[in-house]
Amino acid sequence: MASGGSGSAGGQRKRKTNRLSVGPKESRVDKARRVQQGGQPSEGLSSQPLADLVDWEEAIGGMTTSQAEEALIEGINELQGGGQPSTASAAAAVADNRVAPAEQHAGSLSEGQRTPQQNGPVPSGVEISPRSRVHGTHIQLGISSWSSFIDSNATLVDKSAAIADVMDRNGNLVIAGLYPRRTGKSTFLNTLASFLGIQDEDLSRADRRAAFEGSTLFETDRAFFEANFGKYPVIKFDFKTQDPASRGEALHSVGEAMLRAVSPYVPLLKQIASGCVPTIPGVEVDHIRVDEHKRLASGLVDKIRRVELSEAPPAVNGLSEVIISLMELFRKLLGVKSVVLVDEYDTPFMNALHRPDIDDSTRGAIHRVYANFLCDILKGNNYLHKGVL
């Protein structure tokens, strides 16, 4: 299937780093103090979290998320006393929109007062909020799955306790996470998929469980952990590379995303279509309605094959029908509804909005392709347990 090409505007973006300053000599931290004190700068460093110190609407109003992210990191640097903090501490602070009390930071102490721990990188196990902490001992690029971080002992902000909030305590059927770039959204979605999914292409169920047994979720909510680990069929889409220039390219791109999302389950579908009842570790499978499962699985395999072989743009409802049929099969086979995860759901919308080489009519057609696909899957779907974007 053909996929959309990418385009980018030329030239370098001018950084807007002065929005957190009122005057040429007032730093972002000074402003944070001034806002907190009703307009009067305070003496010394405050011990309150940065998120409580800054009037964010005043401080970053009008910025893009990227500019706000840069400004926030610079504000954290200044609060820590200047210089670059370790990547781990910056990531931790940004991820929770806070920094620890200032007296804990090396920058607020003279060099002779600093401990070896304050001069070094953030050690593993440091708590950065009541239910999150830093794991690992070193920064490693290019990984985003929970098991990869744990296996390589790479630095990770453990926010796994939030899985219970998303899945159990949030009454909404579909949740959209609207956070700035580089705050761990993709990593958290991958963590959701690894924890909830009935299968993993790389790890056995036992290995996945072992990777999560040191998590904050395991320690803070064992009942939820035992009731939900490895329970759900997870269908995960990733739109981060999608940049179509036409409706046809958008349909091909959505088709490719659909094929990637269902590919982990194709071997299972073929097994069911052959009349075999699959064995899924830790999951109870219906052994009674074998013929009904066989019919559904055979139809799904045929639909997936047609999308793979077709050179013409597929229909939107045909693509969403594959996903809904897969979720129906899982509901009947396993007795549970499915979880749908969509990473970078807004990327194709924003790319189309900013492309200078397409007109408004084409832009609207591209938007409708993605909107209709997501609506078909997430709205009024009786086989959906939870959708997270």
Side-chain angles (χ1 to χ4, degrees):
M1 296 183 61
S3 62
S6 62
S8 61
Q12 294 183 342
R13 175 172 58 84
K14 183 178 180 181
R15 295 178 63 195
K16 298 180 181 180
T17 58
N18 61 341
R19 289 183 179 271
L20 292 180
S21 298
V22 171
K25 294 185 179 180
E26 183 181 45
S27 72
R28 296 171 179 81
V29 178
D30 289 336
K31 178 170 182 177
R33 300 191 189 105
R34 179 178 59 77
V35 172
Q36 181 71 8
Q37 300 296 327
Q40 297 298 322
S42 62
E43 295 294 331
L45 289 170
S46 169
S47 62
Q48 290 189 311
L50 183 62
D52 296 337
L53 288 173
V54 179
D55 181 340
W56 291 108
E57 183 175 356
E58 178 186 355
I60 61 175
M63 286 188 180
T64 66
T65 56
S66 298
Q67 293 163 348
E69 173 196 339
E70 292 174 0
L72 177 59
I73 292 176
E74 290 185 10
I76 291 170
N77 293 348
E78 293 178 13
L79 191 62
Q80 290 180 312
Q84 285 291 331
S86 71
T87 304
S89 63
V94 174
D96 279 293
N97 271 357
R98 68 182 294 280
V99 290
E103 60 267 19
Q104 296 179 9
H105 291 293
S108 65
L109 303 173
S110 67
E111 186 171 352
Q113 293 175 304
R114 298 176 191 170
T115 66
Q117 289 77 17
Q118 288 172 318
N119 282 320
V122 174
S124 181
V126 168
E127 291 189 0
I128 55 177
S129 70
R131 296 191 305 151
S132 60
R133 63 169 176 258
V134 177
H135 281 304
T137 59
H138 65 283
I139 304 299
Q140 184 168 329
L141 303 180
I143 60 174
S144 59
S145 69
W146 176 271
S147 59
S148 296
F149 279 102
I150 301 302
D151 289 345
S152 60
N153 201 25
T155 299
L156 166 73
V157 179
D158 177 2
K159 294 178 282 187
S160 60
I163 294 176
D165 297 331
V166 170
M167 299 299 297
D168 205 24
R169 302 187 185 102
N170 191 307
N172 295 312
L173 187 63
V174 180
I175 303 170
L178 305 177
Y179 298 95
R181 295 172 62 245
R182 306 305 176 204
T183 54
K185 299 185 299 298
S186 295
T187 298
F188 184 70
L189 279 186
N190 289 338
T191 303
L192 273 176
S194 184
F195 175 80
L196 297 171
I198 59 173
Q199 68 178 36
D200 188 289
E201 291 184 286
D202 301 318
L203 294 176
S204 67
R205 183 183 179 90
D207 288 340
R208 275 194 296 149
R209 182 182 174 91
F212 276 99
E213 285 186 347
S215 67
T216 55
L217 176 62
F218 184 81
E219 295 177 358
T220 61
D221 201 337
R222 184 70 64 84
F224 175 88
F225 185 100
E226 300 296 346
N228 291 274
F229 174 76
K231 177 180 179 179
Y232 301 97
V234 174
I235 303 171
K236 184 174 181 291
F237 300 94
D238 188 348
F239 288 165
K240 67 183 175 185
T241 62
Q242 303 217 357
D243 189 15
S246 67
R247 182 179 183 276
E249 287 186 11
L251 288 168
H252 277 297
S253 296
V254 172
E256 289 177 344
M258 183 276 291
L259 292 174
R260 287 192 298 270
V262 303
S263 63
Y265 299 112
V266 169
L268 181 66
L269 292 175
K270 291 181 177 178
Q271 183 181 354
I272 299 171
S274 68
C276 298
V277 178
T279 299
I280 305 175
V283 180
E284 186 175 342
V285 179
D286 176 23
H287 289 71
I288 300 176
R289 294 178 292 179
V290 176
D291 290 339
E292 181 179 358
H293 302 155
K294 179 179 178 180
R295 175 180 54 80
L296 286 172
S298 297
L300 269 168
V301 171
D302 289 340
K303 291 175 183 177
I304 293 170
R305 185 180 297 114
R306 284 198 294 271
V307 174
E308 287 177 326
L309 299 177
S310 175
E311 295 184 1
V316 173
N317 59 355
L319 297 174
S320 56
E321 183 182 335
V322 171
I323 302 300
I324 295 172
S325 297
L326 179 62
M327 296 167 73
E328 178 187 5
L329 173 62
F330 282 137
R331 181 72 175 91
K332 294 178 177 178
L333 180 70
L334 308 177
V336 294
K337 297 181 179 182
S338 298
V339 173
V340 173
L341 308 177
V342 186
D343 196 13
E344 303 277 359
Y345 75 94
D346 60 329
T347 294
F349 294 93
M350 297 305 296
N351 285 344
L353 183 65
H354 293 109
R355 283 190 72 131
D357 57 334
I358 59 176
D359 56 28
D360 287 343
S361 176
T362 302
R363 193 171 289 116
I366 292 171
H367 285 181
R368 284 190 293 275
V369 168
Y370 288 92
N372 291 340
F373 178 71
L374 293 174
C375 283
D376 286 347
I377 296 171
L378 299 174
K379 186 176 180 180
N381 183 350
N382 293 327
Y383 307 114
L384 177 68
H385 176 72
K386 185 74 73 170
V388 183
L389 288 72

